[in-house]
PDB file of all heavy atoms in Angstrom:
ATOM      1  N   ILE A   5      37.998 -16.864-109.319  1.00  0.00           N
ATOM      2  CA  ILE A   5      38.284 -16.091-108.108  1.00  0.00           C
ATOM      3  C   ILE A   5      38.662 -17.065-106.993  1.00  0.00           C
ATOM      4  O   ILE A   5      38.172 -18.175-106.941  1.00  0.00           O
ATOM      5  CB  ILE A   5      37.028 -15.298-107.699  1.00  0.00           C
ATOM      6  CG1 ILE A   5      36.559 -14.524-108.919  1.00  0.00           C
ATOM      7  CG2 ILE A   5      37.310 -14.378-106.541  1.00  0.00           C
ATOM      8  CD1 ILE A   5      35.122 -14.100-108.834  1.00  0.00           C
ATOM      9  N   THR A   6      39.527 -16.658-106.094  1.00  0.00           N
ATOM     10  CA  THR A   6      40.039 -17.644-105.146  1.00  0.00           C
ATOM     11  C   THR A   6      39.712 -17.411-103.675  1.00  0.00           C
ATOM     12  O   THR A   6      40.016 -18.233-102.853  1.00  0.00           O
ATOM     13  CB  THR A   6      41.566 -17.754-105.265  1.00  0.00           C
ATOM     14  OG1 THR A   6      42.095 -16.458-105.111  1.00  0.00           O
ATOM     15  CG2 THR A   6      41.987 -18.342-106.567  1.00  0.00           C
ATOM     16  N   THR A   7      39.083 -16.300-103.311  1.00  0.00           N
ATOM     17  CA  THR A   7      38.792 -16.103-101.882  1.00  0.00           C
ATOM     18  C   THR A   7      37.315 -16.283-101.611  1.00  0.00           C
ATOM     19  O   THR A   7      36.497 -15.479-102.037  1.00  0.00           O
ATOM     20  CB  THR A   7      39.176 -14.677-101.437  1.00  0.00           C
ATOM     21  OG1 THR A   7      40.454 -14.404-101.945  1.00  0.00           O
ATOM     22  CG2 THR A   7      39.170 -14.572 -99.927  1.00  0.00           C
ATOM     23  N   PRO A   8      36.916 -17.376-100.931  1.00  0.00           N
ATOM     24  CA  PRO A   8      35.494 -17.596-100.738  1.00  0.00           C
ATOM     25  C   PRO A   8      34.844 -16.583 -99.803  1.00  0.00           C
ATOM     26  O   PRO A   8      35.274 -16.465 -98.658  1.00  0.00           O
ATOM     27  CB  PRO A   8      35.425 -18.994-100.103  1.00  0.00           C
ATOM     28  CG  PRO A   8      36.794 -19.553-100.167  1.00  0.00           C
ATOM     29  CD  PRO A   8      37.734 -18.415-100.357  1.00  0.00           C
ATOM     30  N   PRO A   9      33.835 -15.833-100.243  1.00  0.00           N
ATOM     31  CA  PRO A   9      33.087 -14.998 -99.313  1.00  0.00           C
ATOM     32  C   PRO A   9      32.053 -15.852 -98.587  1.00  0.00           C
ATOM     33  O   PRO A   9      31.887 -17.009 -98.879  1.00  0.00           O
ATOM     34  CB  PRO A   9      32.395 -13.983-100.223  1.00  0.00           C
ATOM     35  CG  PRO A   9      32.235 -14.688-101.503  1.00  0.00           C
ATOM     36  CD  PRO A   9      33.326 -15.715-101.600  1.00  0.00           C
ATOM     37  N   THR A  10      31.368 -15.267 -97.650  1.00  0.00           N
ATOM     38  CA  THR A  10      30.377 -16.039 -96.898  1.00  0.00           C
ATOM     39  C   THR A  10      29.101 -16.163 -97.711  1.00  0.00           C
ATOM     40  O   THR A  10      28.841 -15.376 -98.623  1.00  0.00           O
ATOM     41  CB  THR A  10      30.040 -15.314 -95.587  1.00  0.00           C
ATOM     42  OG1 THR A  10      29.478 -14.054 -95.928  1.00  0.00           O
ATOM     43  CG2 THR A  10      31.273 -15.120 -94.743  1.00  0.00           C
ATOM     44  N   ALA A  11      28.288 -17.144 -97.309  1.00  0.00           N
ATOM     45  CA  ALA A  11      27.027 -17.364 -98.023  1.00  0.00           C
ATOM     46  C   ALA A  11      26.162 -16.131 -97.983  1.00  0.00           C
ATOM     47  O   ALA A  11      25.480 -15.793 -98.937  1.00  0.00           O
ATOM     48  CB  ALA A  11      26.292 -18.532 -97.383  1.00  0.00           C
ATOM     49  N   ALA A  12      26.202 -15.427 -96.863  1.00  0.00           N
ATOM     50  CA  ALA A  12      25.292 -14.297 -96.687  1.00  0.00           C
ATOM     51  C   ALA A  12      25.628 -13.136 -97.610  1.00  0.00           C
ATOM     52  O   ALA A  12      24.791 -12.299 -97.886  1.00  0.00           O
ATOM     53  CB  ALA A  12      25.355 -13.829 -95.245  1.00  0.00           C
ATOM     54  N   THR A  13      26.858 -13.077 -98.110  1.00  0.00           N
ATOM     55  CA  THR A  13      27.249 -11.904 -98.879  1.00  0.00           C
ATOM     56  C   THR A  13      27.113 -12.084-100.385  1.00  0.00           C
ATOM     57  O   THR A  13      27.343 -11.155-101.132  1.00  0.00           O
ATOM     58  CB  THR A  13      28.707 -11.523 -98.576  1.00  0.00           C
ATOM     59  OG1 THR A  13      29.524 -12.629 -98.915  1.00  0.00           O
ATOM     60  CG2 THR A  13      28.899 -11.157 -97.124  1.00  0.00           C
ATOM     61  N   VAL A  14      26.772 -13.262-100.835  1.00  0.00           N
ATOM     62  CA  VAL A  14      26.782 -13.503-102.278  1.00  0.00           C
ATOM     63  C   VAL A  14      25.430 -13.988-102.775  1.00  0.00           C
ATOM     64  O   VAL A  14      24.831 -14.897-102.211  1.00  0.00           O
ATOM     65  CB  VAL A  14      27.856 -14.567-102.618  1.00  0.00           C
ATOM     66  CG1 VAL A  14      27.790 -14.935-104.079  1.00  0.00           C
ATOM     67  CG2 VAL A  14      29.235 -14.026-102.295  1.00  0.00           C
ATOM     68  N   ASP A  15      24.955 -13.364-103.824  1.00  0.00           N
ATOM     69  CA  ASP A  15      23.739 -13.823-104.476  1.00  0.00           C
ATOM     70  C   ASP A  15      24.066 -15.138-105.178  1.00  0.00           C
ATOM     71  O   ASP A  15      24.986 -15.197-105.986  1.00  0.00           O
ATOM     72  CB  ASP A  15      23.319 -12.754-105.499  1.00  0.00           C
ATOM     73  CG  ASP A  15      22.120 -13.202-106.323  1.00  0.00           C
ATOM     74  OD1 ASP A  15      21.686 -14.346-106.149  1.00  0.00           O
ATOM     75  OD2 ASP A  15      21.655 -12.388-107.132  1.00  0.00           O
ATOM     76  N   PRO A  16      23.305 -16.236-104.872  1.00  0.00           N
ATOM     77  CA  PRO A  16      23.643 -17.513-105.479  1.00  0.00           C
ATOM     78  C   PRO A  16      23.619 -17.481-107.001  1.00  0.00           C
ATOM     79  O   PRO A  16      24.222 -18.322-107.650  1.00  0.00           O
ATOM     80  CB  PRO A  16      22.597 -18.484-104.918  1.00  0.00           C
ATOM     81  CG  PRO A  16      21.622 -17.684-104.169  1.00  0.00           C
ATOM     82  CD  PRO A  16      22.208 -16.326-103.929  1.00  0.00           C
ATOM     83  N   LYS A  17      22.900 -16.490-107.571  1.00  0.00           N
ATOM     84  CA  LYS A  17      22.808 -16.449-109.028  1.00  0.00           C
ATOM     85  C   LYS A  17      23.931 -15.628-109.651  1.00  0.00           C
ATOM     86  O   LYS A  17      24.060 -15.565-110.848  1.00  0.00           O
ATOM     87  CB  LYS A  17      21.447 -15.895-109.447  1.00  0.00           C
ATOM     88  CG  LYS A  17      20.338 -16.908-109.211  1.00  0.00           C
ATOM     89  CD  LYS A  17      18.983 -16.300-109.403  1.00  0.00           C
ATOM     90  CE  LYS A  17      18.415 -15.845-108.089  1.00  0.00           C
ATOM     91  NZ  LYS A  17      17.138 -15.261-108.107  1.00  0.00           N
ATOM     92  N   SER A  18      24.753 -14.974-108.840  1.00  0.00           N
ATOM     93  CA  SER A  18      25.795 -14.119-109.408  1.00  0.00           C
ATOM     94  C   SER A  18      27.023 -14.925-109.801  1.00  0.00           C
ATOM     95  O   SER A  18      27.250 -16.018-109.301  1.00  0.00           O
ATOM     96  CB  SER A  18      26.202 -13.059-108.385  1.00  0.00           C
ATOM     97  OG  SER A  18      27.010 -13.647-107.402  1.00  0.00           O
ATOM     98  N   ALA A  19      27.827 -14.357-110.706  1.00  0.00           N
ATOM     99  CA  ALA A  19      29.037 -15.041-111.153  1.00  0.00           C
ATOM    100  C   ALA A  19      29.978 -15.280-109.985  1.00  0.00           C
ATOM    101  O   ALA A  19      30.660 -16.301-109.906  1.00  0.00           O
ATOM    102  CB  ALA A  19      29.709 -14.200-112.225  1.00  0.00           C
ATOM    103  N   ALA A  20      29.974 -14.349-109.029  1.00  0.00           N
ATOM    104  CA  ALA A  20      30.875 -14.478-107.885  1.00  0.00           C
ATOM    105  C   ALA A  20      30.539 -15.682-107.021  1.00  0.00           C
ATOM    106  O   ALA A  20      31.332 -16.099-106.183  1.00  0.00           O
ATOM    107  CB  ALA A  20      30.821 -13.206-107.040  1.00  0.00           C
ATOM    108  N   SER A  21      29.338 -16.256-107.243  1.00  0.00           N
ATOM    109  CA  SER A  21      28.956 -17.404-106.434  1.00  0.00           C
ATOM    110  C   SER A  21      29.887 -18.589-106.664  1.00  0.00           C
ATOM    111  O   SER A  21      29.952 -19.484-105.836  1.00  0.00           O
ATOM    112  CB  SER A  21      27.514 -17.797-106.744  1.00  0.00           C
ATOM    113  OG  SER A  21      27.415 -18.246-108.077  1.00  0.00           O
ATOM    114  N   SER A  22      30.624 -18.606-107.766  1.00  0.00           N
ATOM    115  CA  SER A  22      31.520 -19.739-108.049  1.00  0.00           C
ATOM    116  C   SER A  22      32.567 -19.927-106.977  1.00  0.00           C
ATOM    117  O   SER A  22      33.108 -21.016-106.823  1.00  0.00           O
ATOM    118  CB  SER A  22      32.215 -19.543-109.402  1.00  0.00           C
ATOM    119  OG  SER A  22      31.329 -19.858-110.433  1.00  0.00           O
ATOM    120  N   VAL A  23      32.864 -18.876-106.220  1.00  0.00           N
ATOM    121  CA  VAL A  23      33.876 -19.034-105.177  1.00  0.00           C
ATOM    122  C   VAL A  23      33.412 -20.003-104.106  1.00  0.00           C
ATOM    123  O   VAL A  23      34.229 -20.541-103.367  1.00  0.00           O
ATOM    124  CB  VAL A  23      34.257 -17.682-104.536  1.00  0.00           C
ATOM    125  CG1 VAL A  23      34.898 -16.770-105.548  1.00  0.00           C
ATOM    126  CG2 VAL A  23      33.082 -17.027-103.873  1.00  0.00           C
ATOM    127  N   ARG A  24      32.104 -20.223-103.999  1.00  0.00           N
ATOM    128  CA  ARG A  24      31.606 -21.157-102.982  1.00  0.00           C
ATOM    129  C   ARG A  24      31.309 -22.539-103.563  1.00  0.00           C
ATOM    130  O   ARG A  24      30.728 -23.388-102.914  1.00  0.00           O
ATOM    131  CB  ARG A  24      30.353 -20.595-102.309  1.00  0.00           C
ATOM    132  CG  ARG A  24      30.654 -19.396-101.425  1.00  0.00           C
ATOM    133  CD  ARG A  24      29.459 -19.040-100.561  1.00  0.00           C
ATOM    134  NE  ARG A  24      28.343 -18.518-101.333  1.00  0.00           N
ATOM    135  CZ  ARG A  24      27.124 -19.049-101.334  1.00  0.00           C
ATOM    136  NH1 ARG A  24      26.854 -20.111-100.617  1.00  0.00           N
ATOM    137  NH2 ARG A  24      26.168 -18.510-102.057  1.00  0.00           N
ATOM    138  N   HIS A  25      31.669 -22.743-104.830  1.00  0.00           N
ATOM    139  CA  HIS A  25      31.418 -24.046-105.451  1.00  0.00           C
ATOM    140  C   HIS A  25      32.726 -24.820-105.493  1.00  0.00           C
ATOM    141  O   HIS A  25      33.660 -24.439-106.189  1.00  0.00           O
ATOM    142  CB  HIS A  25      30.865 -23.842-106.866  1.00  0.00           C
ATOM    143  CG  HIS A  25      30.237 -25.083-107.425  1.00  0.00           C
ATOM    144  ND1 HIS A  25      30.890 -26.299-107.466  1.00  0.00           N
ATOM    145  CD2 HIS A  25      29.010 -25.303-107.965  1.00  0.00           C
ATOM    146  CE1 HIS A  25      30.097 -27.203-108.013  1.00  0.00           C
ATOM    147  NE2 HIS A  25      28.941 -26.625-108.317  1.00  0.00           N
ATOM    148  N   PRO A  26      32.796 -25.927-104.752  1.00  0.00           N
ATOM    149  CA  PRO A  26      34.094 -26.610-104.627  1.00  0.00           C
ATOM    150  C   PRO A  26      34.616 -27.204-105.928  1.00  0.00           C
ATOM    151  O   PRO A  26      35.814 -27.475-106.023  1.00  0.00           O
ATOM    152  CB  PRO A  26      33.801 -27.713-103.599  1.00  0.00           C
ATOM    153  CG  PRO A  26      32.331 -27.935-103.668  1.00  0.00           C
ATOM    154  CD  PRO A  26      31.729 -26.600-103.997  1.00  0.00           C
TER     155      PRO A  26
END
Side-chain angles (χ1 to χ4, degrees):
I5 308 160
T6 54
T7 313
T10 62
T13 59
V14 174
D15 175 356
K17 287 171 265 180
S18 76
S21 65
S22 282
V23 296
R24 290 192 292 123
H25 196 307

